[in-house]
């Protein structure tokens, strides 16, 4: 029996939007890492070290989720899709492969996928989990910046188990890269709109000591609901953004970012000493 290729194996998961989002996330990260690798031998020698940490900070929102946020079968599909796509892009990780191996068995036991998937289980495991991948020869193309979020949306953003809230002011271009501003609040759960009523905008401290309004356009903030479970819509059509009157004027219209650069932005903006 001929083993399916990456696309054929992923199609058998019957989770097209999940696969598309993971694929675009990996393309975004690899494109950046391989560009930097041309000038940095350490990155070139360990692409996985540049790609996996930010990827997992985002997708752990699913992989580590409880049943209230993501079903068991969805977590299994995510692990399997992640392992196959990493193999496609020349990256192997033992822990992810092990989890995907168990996920395949669990999906088969639950009869969650087709008979064809069950019949080709051994081929899929052998080809994508137990065979070293081929290192990529060229960087993948950057995905588009399409978004389904709209002005007036309030969203929750999860990072390392903490939840932040952000207001969508507009899109940077028509239906692309929403421009967000964070509320000055951190939660251990997805907040409801009532919990944000009295929260002001969170600013960013600049090198000159000033604390200014911070608007950020976020490429890759695309589907609603977010297949990674990182962005959750709190409420749509909210007319009033968080109060930013206590902050200095912003620098430019907005900062240009994506779903991975946003991790560092949040780390900086919400660090313990960021506004001291």
């Amino acid at each position: 029996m001929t083993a399916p290729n990456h696309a054929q194996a992923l199609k058998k998961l019957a989770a097209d939007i999940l696969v598309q989002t993971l694929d675009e996330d990996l393309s975004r990260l690899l494109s950046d890492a391989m560009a930097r690798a041309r000038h940095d031998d350490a990155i070139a020698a360990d692409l996985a070290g540049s790609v996996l940490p930010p990827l997992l900070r985002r997708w752990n929102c699913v992989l580590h989720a409880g049943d209230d946020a993501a079903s068991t079968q969805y977590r299994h599909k995510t692990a399997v899709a992640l392992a196959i796509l990493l193999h496609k892009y020349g990256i192997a990780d033992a822990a992810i492969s092990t989890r995907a191996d168990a996920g395949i068995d669990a999906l088969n036991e639950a009869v969650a996928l087709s008979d064809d998937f069950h019949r080709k289980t051994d081929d899929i495991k052998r080809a994508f989990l137990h065979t070293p991948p081929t290192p990529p020869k060229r960087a993948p193309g950057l995905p588009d910046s399409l978004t389904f979020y709209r002005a007036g949306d309030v969203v929750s953003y999860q990072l390392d188990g903490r939840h932040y809230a952000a207001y969508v002011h507009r899109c940077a271009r028509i239906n692309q890269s929403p421009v967000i501003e964070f509320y000055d609040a951190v939660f251990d759960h997805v907040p409801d709109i009532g919990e944000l009523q009295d929260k002001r905008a969170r600013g960013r401290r600049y090198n000159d000591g000033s604390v200014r309004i911070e608007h950020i356009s976020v490429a890759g903030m695309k589907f609603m609901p977010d297949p990674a479970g990182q962005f959750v819509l709190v409420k749509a059509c909210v007319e009033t953004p968080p109060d930013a009157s206590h902050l200095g004027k912003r620098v430019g219209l907005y900062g240009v970012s994506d779903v991975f650069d946003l991790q560092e932005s949040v780390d900086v903006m919400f660090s313990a000493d960021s506004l001291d």
Side-chain angles (χ1 to χ4, degrees):
M1 184 180 295
T2 303
N5 60 32
H6 294 96
Q8 291 168 338
L10 290 165
K11 192 70 176 176
K12 296 179 191 304
L13 290 176
D16 291 350
I17 299 300
L18 164 64
V19 169
Q20 180 184 342
T21 304
L22 258 172
D23 198 353
E24 290 182 356
D25 280 359
L26 272 165
S27 296
R28 198 176 297 278
L29 284 167
L30 268 170
S31 179
D32 176 71
M34 293 181 73
R36 291 186 289 118
R38 291 197 293 267
H39 311 285
D40 190 321
D41 291 341
I43 295 175
D46 183 22
L47 281 177
S50 294
V51 169
L52 284 177
L55 184 73
L56 290 177
R57 286 188 85 185
R58 172 159 159 75
W59 284 89
N60 278 343
C61 298
V62 166
L63 295 172
H64 293 173
D67 291 339
D68 58 331
S71 70
T72 301
Q73 289 186 10
Y74 189 77
R75 295 196 298 269
H76 289 323
K77 287 187 178 184
T78 300
V80 176
L82 177 57
I84 294 173
L85 282 166
L86 286 174
H87 189 277
K88 170 185 172 181
Y89 287 113
I91 296 174
D93 180 85
I96 292 172
S97 294
T98 297
R99 179 162 181 170
D101 194 305
I104 289 173
D105 292 342
L107 289 167
N108 281 332
E109 184 176 351
V111 197
L113 297 174
S114 66
D115 288 342
D116 188 50
F117 179 85
H118 186 278
R119 286 194 300 271
K120 294 180 178 175
T121 287
D122 290 341
D123 294 324
I124 291 170
K125 286 186 175 184
R126 182 169 54 253
F128 308 123
L129 305 185
H130 305 152
T131 299
T134 302
K137 294 181 179 179
R138 60 181 180 179
L142 277 175
D144 63 48
S145 298
L146 179 70
T147 185
F148 292 93
Y149 294 86
R150 295 294 179 262
D153 287 344
V154 173
V155 298
S156 174
Y157 170 75
Q158 184 184 165
L159 188 64
D160 301 333
R162 304 207 301 174
H163 300 260
Y164 307 84
Y167 183 86
V168 178
H169 283 273
R170 61 192 180 282
C171 291
R173 292 171 296 280
I174 297 175
N175 297 337
Q176 295 186 46
S177 300
V179 177
I180 67 172
E181 180 177 29
F182 281 99
Y183 291 81
D184 191 6
V186 184
F187 301 89
D188 62 1
H189 59 277
V190 175
D192 61 48
I193 195 64
E195 294 176 284
L196 300 173
Q197 291 296 332
D198 62 345
K199 300 298 188 293
R200 301 190 299 178
R202 181 79 173 188
R204 182 169 189 146
R205 182 175 294 280
Y206 284 74
N207 290 336
D208 64 0
S210 63
V211 181
R212 298 181 177 274
I213 293 171
E214 183 77 349
H215 288 188
I216 309 169
S217 76
V218 187
M221 184 177 164
K222 186 172 188 174
F223 290 110
M224 185 195 303
D226 176 18
Q230 187 171 37
F231 295 95
V232 175
L233 180 67
V234 174
K235 187 175 176 61
C237 302
V238 176
E239 294 183 359
T240 306
D243 178 18
S245 60
H246 60 296
L247 301 172
K249 291 183 179 180
R250 65 180 183 264
V251 177
L253 289 176
Y254 48 78
V256 176
S257 183
D258 66 18
V259 289
F260 298 108
D261 291 336
L262 188 63
Q263 296 174 4
E264 183 179 355
S265 294
V266 169
D267 288 340
V268 170
M269 289 177 65
F270 288 88
S271 64
D273 60 352
S274 62
L275 300 185
D276 291 344

